[in-house]
Amino acid sequence: MSFHIENIVPEYINYWHEVGLSKFIRVFWYFILFEFTRYIVIDYIIAFIFGANKKKRAEKFEKARQLLRLENPFVSVIIPGKNEGKHLFKLTRSLAEQTFSNFELIIVDDGSDDDTPIIGKNLERLGLIDKFIRNEMRGGKASAANLALRYSSGKFIVHLDADCSFDYDAIENVLVPFYMSPKIAAVGGNVKVRNYKESLCSKLQAIEYLKTVSVGRIITSYLGIYKIISGAFGAFRADVIDAIGGWDIGPGLDGDITVKIRKSGYKVCFEPSAICLTNAPSKFKVLTKQRLRWDKSIIRFRVRKHKDVYFPNANFSWSTFFALAENVFYNVVLDILWWFYIIDIIINYSSQLQFVIPMNFTLYFVMSYVQMCSIYVFSERRKEELYLWPYVSLMSIYTGTYLRIVRTAAYYKEFFFKRSFEDTWNPYKSSAQAKKAGL
Amino acid sequence: MLNVLRHNDRTNKIQFSGYTLLRVDHISSIQQESLTFVDAIIIDTENNEHATDLVFFIRKNADLAIALKPIFINNTCQLNKTFEIHTDGYIDLNELSIAINRVDIITKRSKRISHKNTVGHDYQVKQKILAFLFTRNSTIVPITNRASLIGYSFPFIDLFYKEEEVMSKLSMLEKSVECGHLSTNLKDFVHLCKRCHGNYLNFVEACPKCDSIDIKAQDIVHHFVCAHVAPEKDFKTKDGLACPKCDKQLRHIGIDYDKPSSMYSCNCCNHEFQTAKMIAKCIDCNAENELSALIKKAIGSYSITSAGEEWLRGGEEQSSQVSLLNDGVMTLSLFKIIASQELKRITISKSTSQIAHILFVNERLDTFDDATKKLLVKEIGAIIKSYLLPSDVMAADNYNSYYLLLPETKEQFPKRLETIQYNLGKLLGDNLQERLLDIKIQTHQLIEKETVDSIIKQFHK
Ligand SMILES: [Zn+2]
Ligand SMILES: [Zn+2]
Ligand SMILES: [Zn+2]
Ligand SMILES: [Zn+2]
Ligand SMILES: [Zn+2]
């Protein structure tokens, strides 16, 4: 076996060595232009700057934390959801461990058809939940969040998913950035995959979350173009979120509200030390469904609903423009370009595929590990995450092939057929009205 | 006018077919009378207080025989309804034969109760209640009554408990049912105040935080198109509902908006909540009970069981029966199980088996004193067992009544039963000049498809 590898590897590597750099760039233009610059060059530049400013940042963070502790503001933790009753007790236990404790807990049960109302009312009676509000009729995630918002009285709103658990200082840390700048109106928490040992599917997602959610958001946040606060863990200024009318109809309402906050002139940032663990889908079938929903929302919200941010007008802001443009570019445009790239290769280099394909995989393989090194630099769970390193080798198939196909399917469906309006994720009554209004 | 006349004529005895009925209008007229030789009392007054005094005087009498005497009300007198239930009803002085029939039954049944001295209030009351049920051969049915703390009155039973003793009254009844002396038939459940046990409660919804009842419910409105959700008052305008988030008019419920739930708000502490706390306020003592703190009690009608009748006749002597059972004699319930297995066995094997019943007629053994009785019971057990075959089975219902299962026995009246009858007769004769006639032995040959219970019933016909 080892004999074979030694024979084959040098052969295509030698090929690219001999044809020269210009042809190499011509054939792998997609990788070099987009993947390499975005995920390696920028990552390492930011990592370098980040490392250099480490002490200053820590001081600034500590100062803000003192301000937070001094004021000790009242915070509303809101959890909208359907059929989440089974998670509620564990969640209240997890929240009881928090270093920050001046909060009320509001649960909205959005038309659950299981034991959630019984569990919720019991926990409310026991004093473990401050308000349990049940909707007999399901209204969708946005309306459930808005209902919780209407009955909250905190200065900040922390939005959680019921099946998440939190580091003991997560809520405190997610609130600290508000005391760094009065311009900050929303802070995203750092969501990691808890069940990364469960299946291959969850392992690959754990790596993906580390790359895009953790590191990706540190970088976009640093660049001021952080665009999506995860619904699993995010904090908002109550006055700002009230002023923008709360959440609009989903799916993709997490990204949507971030854009709305940016549009109204506030900053949105990411706090890597506010760590929340969530369960990722452990089966590819479930994951595919989830990603189709997420990817459709990019077309619906980034491209369609908020198209005004791309044009000069009174509210124009470069960072909002870049935040959305980066998102649209790296998802939609690059996805289309990738298919162009495939066609380009098939038409022009069909005779050299035996050299092109293995080289492409090699590039992505090497890049995945180089990227993993930057994750290692940022992470606070380095030792645990070493467990994932062997699976990084599969990432080029996962992100490069699987996720790309799902994404293309989603864009196609949404762009041409507005399929997200038929998504059962929202009740029909809401979708029908939203579609009519062109949202 | 007539009343005044009767007042002068204080004692008024009526003789009717061998029974003496005493007609009274005031407690003073029976205090000097020896009630032992009276068979029934007729209350002849319209004064409820006087009538109540009379009933209490008789029913609370320490002598059980007097306490159980039938009490009638002259039907020319009108008395309070809640009082009537403690008597044996109205009597027509011109038509005495119906009442005399009842007097006859009550008197005869009273004689079958062993008059023993007992200690403890509950124990005495229990004995009285069982005796009342036995002599009246009926059921005590609770009656709804607003004047009662728990909303129900129990005929007869209520005479022995003060209003505030309602819990011990109910627990006495529960205990008697538990030990099998009374059977009950569920009529209702009452929920009682935890402090005073009253059932006159006012149920109100209250704020779970401050207990204020000044709370108001508001519908929640959900505007579909913008996902805005808020109480209806936020949407209210002078010409209908309009969304404060997107300024659109809300026109059609179910199409552009709906009302998925409602919320309460407290006017006292501003708390907002969905599930109001229910409070049961006691009208009698003002206690505010949480629903879970209310005491739930079953209200039923009560009848005496055969075990209760047995207890009445035997009283504490039950212990002697236990010792009898320990002596290799099984209980009736176990006997029934074995006998029904035997029934199944003969169905298959086509063999002949018998069940026999030995009865000491007229409960003869009850006439002996306790010590003699214990000795006799032991002897009886020993005599019966000594003549039985090893495969025979013996059970005791009580010390007057014994059952035998005789497997593989063809004769109608097997020899060993004759011997037993002779020896038992001799035993009784030695102790009390009794004849053989007082011991009745019946046999029954087991047939397919009959039940043990039906056989035992036949013996008692
Ligand atoms: Zn009524
Ligand atoms: Zn009371
Ligand atoms: Zn109050
Ligand atoms: Zn609206
Ligand atoms: Zn209140």
Side-chain angles (χ1 to χ4, degrees):
Chain A
M1 197 64 182
S2 60
F3 179 70
H4 272 276
I5 289 164
E6 277 161 16
N7 247 348
I8 291 163
V9 173
E11 198 189 339
Y12 75 86
I13 299 277
N14 280 340
Y15 174 83
W16 293 110
H17 190 71
E18 277 159 30
V19 293
L21 192 63
S22 58
K23 188 175 179 187
F24 183 84
I25 292 170
R26 169 65 187 87
V27 174
F28 300 106
W29 58 270
Y30 187 87
F31 177 83
I32 292 159
L33 267 177
F34 307 119
E35 315 271 19
F36 182 73
T37 43
R38 169 68 179 80
Y39 293 112
I40 305 289
V41 178
I42 296 180
D43 271 19
Y44 275 87
I45 291 170
I46 304 277
F48 178 78
I49 300 169
F50 221 71
N53 292 338
K54 201 173 173 185
K55 210 178 151 198
K56 228 175 105 191
R57 265 187 311 109
E59 275 167 14
K60 205 178 159 199
F61 190 84
E62 201 45 50
K63 234 175 96 188
R65 190 208 294 274
Q66 292 311 322
L67 286 174
L68 169 71
R69 286 187 178 166
L70 204 68
E71 186 189 327
N72 195 27
F74 187 60
V75 170
S76 299
V77 175
I78 65 169
I79 303 170
K82 186 190 173 195
N83 293 349
E84 304 278 20
K86 51 193 176 292
H87 305 302
L88 291 182
F89 182 69
K90 238 169 53 196
L91 182 83
T92 59
R93 303 287 16 123
S94 166
L95 291 178
E97 297 295 311
Q98 289 294 311
T99 51
F100 184 87
S101 57
N102 189 25
F103 62 83
E104 60 173 351
L105 183 57
I106 302 174
I107 313 278
V108 173
D109 163 17
D110 194 23
S112 294
D113 46 22
D114 63 358
D115 286 339
T116 301
I118 302 165
I119 297 166
K121 278 176 188 168
N122 265 317
L123 293 174
E124 187 187 31
R125 217 164 34 76
L126 294 171
L128 295 172
I129 293 174
D130 295 286
K131 286 195 184 94
F132 179 80
I133 309 173
R134 160 142 176 96
N135 275 344
E136 288 298 332
M137 284 176 281
R138 187 164 82 96
K141 193 123 186 172
S143 72
N146 286 336
L147 181 56
L149 182 65
R150 177 60 182 72
Y151 285 101
S152 63
S153 45
K155 185 178 176 187
F156 300 106
I157 308 291
V158 175
H159 179 287
L160 307 178
D161 271 357
D163 61 347
C164 288
S165 52
F166 301 87
D167 276 12
Y168 71 105
D169 55 358
I171 292 192
E172 183 174 2
N173 289 347
V174 87
L175 295 172
V176 167
F178 291 116
Y179 291 83
M180 289 178 167
S181 156
K183 279 269 130 194
I184 291 174
V187 181
N190 190 351
V191 180
K192 298 196 170 199
V193 174
R194 175 174 46 212
N195 59 332
Y196 62 88
K197 289 189 174 168
E198 196 177 333
S199 69
L200 181 65
C201 181
S202 59
K203 283 182 185 83
L204 295 175
Q205 283 174 88
I207 299 167
E208 184 200 0
Y209 272 58
L210 287 178
K211 283 186 178 178
T212 64
V213 183
S214 309
V215 184
R217 285 175 189 179
I218 288 171
I219 288 158
T220 49
S221 178
Y222 187 77
L223 294 176
I225 57 171
Y226 173 54
K227 74 278 172 184
I228 181 159
I229 288 180
S230 164
F233 189 25
F236 304 89
R237 256 172 62 178
D239 55 341
V240 174
I241 207 167
D242 273 338
I244 61 168
W247 282 267
D248 289 353
I249 192 162
L253 64 166
D254 304 334
D256 181 62
I257 195 155
T258 322
V259 176
K260 279 171 67 186
I261 290 167
R262 281 184 163 284
K263 274 184 173 179
S264 57
Y266 290 94
K267 278 186 178 162
V268 173
C269 77
F270 175 75
E271 182 42 58
S273 67
I275 288 158
C276 151
L277 299 179
T278 189
N279 276 337
S282 58
K283 292 196 178 91
F284 281 105
K285 206 178 145 189
V286 183
L287 177 66
T288 305
K289 248 175 105 179
Q290 183 200 54
R291 291 309 163 93
L292 281 173
R293 199 171 70 224
W294 288 4
D295 292 331
K296 278 182 210 166
S297 75
I298 288 186
I299 298 291
R300 180 161 162 190
F301 294 100
R302 307 281 146 149
V303 179
R304 215 176 271 141
K305 185 179 169 188
H306 294 295
K307 55 180 177 285
D308 56 319
V309 302
Y310 305 113
F311 306 109
N313 57 32
N315 288 328
F316 186 81
S317 134
W318 279 105
S319 68
T320 307
F321 172 81
F322 277 121
L324 266 74
E326 188 255 8
N327 191 218
V328 170
F329 182 77
Y330 270 93
N331 287 286
V332 186
V333 178
L334 284 195
D335 189 63
I336 298 166
L337 276 176
W338 190 73
W339 292 101
F340 274 112
Y341 173 71
I342 299 289
I343 294 163
D344 171 44
I345 295 298
I346 289 170
I347 292 173
N348 298 314
Y349 300 98
S350 57
S351 57
Q352 290 143 42
L353 285 181
Q354 75 269 34
F355 303 118
V356 177
I357 293 169
M359 193 60 211
N360 244 323
F361 274 104
T362 309
L363 289 172
Y364 280 100
F365 181 87
V366 172
M367 184 185 75
S368 295
Y369 278 101
V370 173
Q371 231 192 318
M372 203 62 188
C373 293
S374 74
I375 290 165
Y376 188 81
V377 172
F378 287 116
S379 183
E380 83 305 323
R381 276 176 162 77
R382 286 171 192 171
K383 278 203 180 129
E384 289 156 59
E385 283 155 13
L386 276 176
Y387 172 88
L388 293 168
W389 279 64
Y391 301 96
V392 172
S393 55
L394 295 170
M395 286 307 283
S396 56
I397 295 171
Y398 174 74
T399 46
T401 312
Y402 164 72
L403 286 184
R404 247 194 196 111
I405 290 167
V406 171
R407 203 177 297 148
T408 307
Y411 294 164
Y412 177 74
K413 282 181 183 175
E414 182 62 23
F415 205 78
F416 295 104
F417 303 106
K418 293 191 181 179
R419 279 290 162 78
S420 71
F421 292 99
E422 286 151 41
D423 205 317
T424 52
W425 194 75
N426 272 320
Y428 173 73
K429 58 188 182 191
S430 299
S431 293
Q433 289 295 313
K435 192 172 183 178
K436 230 170 84 186
L439 293 176
Chain B
M1 277 307 187
L2 221 61
N3 270 335
V4 182
L5 265 177
R6 278 181 192 146
H7 256 294
N8 297 332
D9 184 15
R10 282 213 161 166
T11 60
N12 195 345
K13 279 185 187 156
I14 301 167
Q15 303 286 339
F16 194 89
S17 65
Y19 287 108
T20 308
L21 288 77
L22 182 68
R23 198 166 142 189
V24 290
D25 63 349
H26 192 265
I27 192 161
S28 56
S29 49
I30 53 169
Q31 268 162 346
Q32 59 262 81
E33 197 76 39
S34 170
L35 288 173
T36 320
F37 304 106
V38 171
D39 298 299
I41 291 96
I42 299 165
I43 292 176
D44 196 6
T45 174
E46 298 226 325
N47 184 321
N48 275 300
E49 256 177 62
H50 293 178
T52 309
D53 287 344
L54 281 164
V55 170
F56 272 94
F57 179 79
I58 296 158
R59 292 290 185 240
K60 291 195 154 189
N61 203 298
D63 184 348
L64 193 59
I66 291 171
L68 291 175
K69 298 251 185 241
I71 303 174
F72 298 103
I73 307 167
N74 187 348
N75 68 354
T76 61
C77 305
Q78 276 300 312
L79 286 171
N80 200 324
K81 271 244 165 60
T82 54
F83 165 80
E84 270 172 45
I85 60 167
H86 301 306
T87 69
D88 292 275
Y90 285 92
I91 190 170
D92 186 346
L93 290 180
N94 303 315
E95 193 58 69
L96 282 173
S97 55
I98 304 161
I100 287 299
N101 219 342
R102 294 211 63 198
V103 174
D104 186 53
I105 294 167
I106 293 167
T107 311
K108 279 190 177 144
R109 283 187 161 247
S110 288
K111 285 187 180 136
R112 289 166 64 188
I113 297 166
S114 64
H115 299 215
K116 55 192 183 245
N117 288 325
T118 50
V119 275
H121 173 259
D122 270 6
Y123 190 85
Q124 274 173 20
V125 170
K126 179 182 169 182
Q127 191 188 5
K128 259 185 192 162
I129 290 164
L130 289 178
F132 182 82
L133 284 165
F134 177 70
T135 53
R136 269 63 178 178
N137 197 18
S138 73
T139 302
I140 290 178
V141 182
I143 290 153
T144 50
N145 177 10
R146 171 66 78 82
S148 156
L149 196 59
I150 61 165
Y152 278 99
S153 289
F154 289 92
F156 191 76
I157 301 171
D158 281 358
L159 295 170
F160 309 103
Y161 291 93
K162 294 192 196 91
E163 197 60 57
E164 63 270 22
E165 295 173 332
V166 61
M167 280 302 157
S168 43
K169 173 167 73 189
L170 293 175
S171 82
M172 182 276 299
L173 290 169
E174 279 164 13
K175 272 184 218 151
S176 303
V177 169
E178 239 167 64
C179 72
H181 293 161
L182 285 180
S183 68
T184 183
N185 197 351
L186 183 68
K187 288 272 176 252
D188 201 357
F189 283 110
V190 287
H191 295 86
L192 309 176
C193 168
K194 65 173 186 284
R195 193 197 289 164
C196 74
H197 307 136
N199 128 311
Y200 197 6
L201 302 166
N202 189 23
F203 293 87
V204 283
E205 288 179 316
C207 168
K209 213 170 179 180
C210 76
D211 282 354
S212 164
I213 58 163
D214 188 9
I215 60 172
K216 202 175 167 229
Q218 270 269 350
D219 278 339
I220 300 290
V221 172
H222 170 202
H223 191 211
F224 298 153
V225 72
C226 72
H228 190 61
V229 186
E232 196 169 1
K233 65 170 189 241
D234 290 16
F235 286 83
K236 274 250 161 70
T237 60
K238 58 180 187 298
D239 25 58
L241 297 173
C243 179
K245 177 173 167 182
C246 66
D247 289 329
K248 281 200 188 89
Q249 193 76 23
L250 272 58
R251 293 177 199 286
H252 198 125
I253 190 159
I255 302 288
D256 52 357
Y257 73 100
D258 67 1
K259 295 177 175 179
S261 67
S262 68
M263 288 285 282
Y264 285 100
S265 56
C266 173
N267 289 326
C268 176
C269 71
N270 288 325
H271 184 45
E272 285 167 313
F273 51 96
Q274 200 166 35
T275 316
K277 183 175 157 187
M278 277 297 264
I279 293 179
K281 282 192 176 178
C282 179
I283 305 291
D284 293 309
C285 76
N286 284 322
E288 293 194 348
N289 298 276
E290 282 188 27
L291 292 200
S292 57
L294 291 175
I295 304 163
K296 184 182 173 185
K297 284 283 175 191
I299 300 294
S301 59
Y302 293 93
S303 318
I304 188 167
T305 60
S306 50
E309 290 179 12
E310 180 54 37
W311 181 84
L312 262 187
R313 278 178 257 139
E316 311 107 307
E317 281 75 58
Q318 281 203 321
S319 52
S320 67
Q321 196 184 345
V322 173
S323 74
L324 167 140
L325 290 177
N326 284 345
D327 235 0
V329 184
M330 63 179 68
T331 60
L332 190 58
S333 53
L334 182 57
F335 179 80
K336 282 180 182 172
I337 294 167
I338 291 172
S340 37
Q341 278 167 355
E342 178 67 8
L343 265 168
K344 281 180 203 148
R345 192 185 70 84
I346 60 142
T347 315
I348 300 159
S349 66
K350 306 284 173 214
S351 49
T352 330
S353 297
Q354 310 252 5
I355 285 186
H357 182 222
I358 302 172
L359 182 71
F360 292 85
V361 183
N362 297 330
E363 281 140 26
R364 286 293 358 159
L365 294 183
D366 276 345
T367 52
F368 296 107
D369 64 83
D370 284 357
T372 323
K373 200 148 63 181
K374 268 180 195 162
L375 277 171
L376 276 176
V377 163
K378 240 184 179 166
E379 288 253 16
I380 292 165
I383 289 170
I384 298 173
K385 268 186 285 170
S386 64
Y387 294 103
L388 292 179
L389 297 177
S391 58
D392 295 344
V393 172
M394 175 184 176
D397 190 4
N398 55 60
Y399 38 66
N400 290 308
S401 167
Y402 300 86
Y403 292 95
L404 303 174
L405 176 65
L406 313 171
E408 300 294 335
T409 305
K410 283 206 174 61
E411 311 94 289
Q412 184 70 54
F413 200 83
K415 189 95 184 141
R416 54 188 186 280
L417 288 184
E418 274 177 40
T419 328
I420 288 168
Q421 190 164 26
Y422 173 77
N423 283 293
L424 287 178
K426 234 180 107 197
L427 174 75
L428 280 189
D430 291 345
N431 287 281
L432 202 91
Q433 293 71 49
E434 287 296 334
R435 293 142 306 179
L436 223 57
L437 268 180
D438 289 321
I439 301 158
K440 191 168 142 195
I441 300 188
Q442 292 171 278
T443 58
H444 175 93
Q445 189 183 317
L446 295 183
I447 322 162
E448 290 173 31
K449 282 178 192 149
E450 64 183 343
T451 65
V452 180
D453 282 311
S454 70
I455 299 168
I456 287 174
K457 240 181 215 159
Q458 275 177 38
F459 285 141
H460 287 277
K461 261 184 191 163

